[in-house]
Amino acid sequence: MDMKMEIQEWKKRRNAVILAHNYQLDEVQELADFVGDSFQLSRLAAESTADVIVFCGVRFMAETAKILAPTKLVLLPESEAGCPLADMIDVEGLRELKAAHPGVPVVCYINSSAAVKAESDICCTSANAVEVVRALAADSYIFAPDAHLGHFVAQQVPDKKAILWDGFCVTHAKVRAADVRQARKMHPGAEILVHPECHPTVVELADFAGSTSAILARAAVSSAEVVIIGTEMGVLERLRRQCPDKRFYLLHPGLVCPNMKKTTPASVLQALQELQESILVEDSLAKPARRMLDRMLEIR
Ligand code: CIZ
């Protein structure tokens, strides 16, 4: 039997749903029930009626799904799929920063561990970070762990003071302002769409900055024939299928997240067969982390 069919059979047998992040390999996106960003996938996990959620993404995403759907079995097919950005912050460091700014709320990017979420007041994703910060009652806030996204948000919400944790996405940080200038020279008239995890100098020179879902939506309505993408290459194939009349290029050849590329159809099949790795989040973390996720979901 071919692997795709085998996965479908096991999916039925397990009453499972397969969620895949926009950065996953094309062949993994193809076999998923839903493909999206972490915000969309978190919501789907929370609302799903399946018994098993196979999360094709990285650890913090599967952990978030488990927190939102605690009665379900949440499987991460590749145990080693982590996130260097999420690893750039730990609970002790965040506690020290909070102690230096007593009473200041912590807005924590979804790219963080359950333990760091549990220490924070409200979650955000790149799709809703600006709305989350705007909705804060406080006039200052700690933003962790992505300083590039934090800088982007601070520019959109100038009436609040941002205290930024100094983390960054190692993949998006590869793009330099010079890459944008070079792309403009090579493709005059092209539209350049970047992720706010890119360095602020890159965001400043681009035509648009937004989450992967915002980039997908913007590319679909762009009047440019050539669109240049400054985010992980997983969105490219989808864009090419979605808009066959346009040409898409990657702003930098290094926009490939090695962790996101670990999951393969074979590892999805194995996860369904062996029910591994089943994600567990201890109650003492899951409860406060759930509260900060719920606060985000109430906003948007
Ligand atoms: O929010 C996400 O899923 C990430 C990590 C990026 C994006 O913009 O989709």
Side-chain angles (χ1 to χ4, degrees):
M1 196 192 306
D2 102 327
M3 194 180 291
K4 267 193 194 163
M5 281 172 64
E6 229 182 317
I7 289 172
Q8 293 313 316
E9 290 231 330
W10 276 96
K11 224 180 71 179
K12 258 193 226 146
R13 195 182 301 186
R14 299 294 194 200
N15 186 26
V17 65
I18 300 177
L19 306 181
H21 191 267
N22 287 329
Y23 295 160
Q24 288 288 291
L25 290 171
D26 207 34
E27 56 267 36
V28 173
Q29 295 194 24
E30 267 173 22
L31 55 84
D33 296 293
F34 301 101
V35 180
D37 63 23
S38 53
F39 177 69
Q40 295 164 326
L41 299 179
S42 306
R43 270 201 189 281
L44 286 165
E47 289 159 9
S48 169
T49 55
D51 296 320
V52 175
I53 295 171
V54 182
F55 210 114
C56 305
V58 295
R59 182 166 294 275
F60 77 80
M61 296 178 178
E63 255 184 16
T64 305
K66 181 67 183 176
I67 294 164
L68 290 169
T71 60
K72 297 185 196 312
L73 197 64
V74 176
L75 304 176
L76 180 66
E78 287 292 339
S79 292
E80 298 299 312
C83 172
L85 167 60
D87 295 340
M88 284 182 196
I89 185 165
D90 59 10
V91 171
E92 289 69 33
L94 181 55
R95 283 191 184 141
E96 275 172 30
L97 188 61
K98 282 168 67 172
H101 302 279
V104 174
V106 179
V107 179
C108 186
Y109 192 26
I110 198 159
N111 298 40
S112 52
S113 67
V116 167
K117 285 188 177 74
E119 268 304 311
S120 306
D121 295 286
I122 187 162
C123 190
C124 74
T125 71
S126 44
N128 63 13
V130 170
E131 286 87 345
V132 166
V133 168
R134 275 201 189 117
L136 292 174
D139 56 10
S140 63
Y141 61 96
I142 292 171
F143 192 93
D146 191 313
H148 294 168
L149 176 63
H151 184 275
F152 174 75
V153 172
Q155 284 198 316
Q156 316 288 312
V157 193
D159 52 314
K160 295 189 196 291
K161 180 172 177 266
I163 299 151
L164 305 181
W165 185 272
D166 199 15
F168 59 92
C169 164
V170 293
T171 299
H172 285 93
K174 287 180 190 161
V175 186
R176 299 278 149 196
D179 297 314
V180 183
R181 290 193 199 99
Q182 174 75 3
R184 289 229 188 270
K185 255 195 226 153
M186 286 181 63
H187 301 284
E191 188 161 26
I192 302 183
L193 317 180
V194 303
H195 197 279
E197 285 178 19
C198 290
H199 192 275
T201 54
V202 171
V203 171
E204 199 183 314
L205 291 176
D207 297 305
F208 173 86
S211 64
T212 52
S213 42
I215 287 176
L216 284 158
R218 169 74 177 222
V221 298
S222 172
S223 56
E225 250 171 57
V226 175
V227 180
I228 298 173
I229 301 298
T231 191
E232 213 279 346
M233 67 164 300
V235 299
L236 264 196
E237 280 310 311
R238 191 140 155 232
L239 279 169
R240 285 176 178 147
R241 270 200 305 272
Q242 183 181 295
C243 316
D245 51 325
K246 293 189 174 72
R247 277 177 294 143
F248 293 97
Y249 299 106
L250 211 53
L251 188 50
H252 187 289
L255 280 164
V256 183
C257 170
N259 283 288
M260 283 287 183
K261 301 311 191 223
K262 285 183 175 149
T263 309
T264 61
S267 55
V268 172
L269 177 59
Q270 195 177 0
L272 282 164
Q273 289 170 330
E274 296 175 9
L275 297 177
Q276 292 294 339
E277 177 194 330
S278 168
I279 297 294
L280 298 173
V281 181
E282 54 181 90
D283 254 21
S284 62
L285 300 179
K287 282 197 179 131
R290 171 75 197 233
R291 281 196 290 275
M292 63 84 85
L293 283 161
D294 282 344
R295 280 183 207 121
M296 168 183 82
L297 293 172
E298 276 161 25
I299 291 174
R300 193 185 147 222

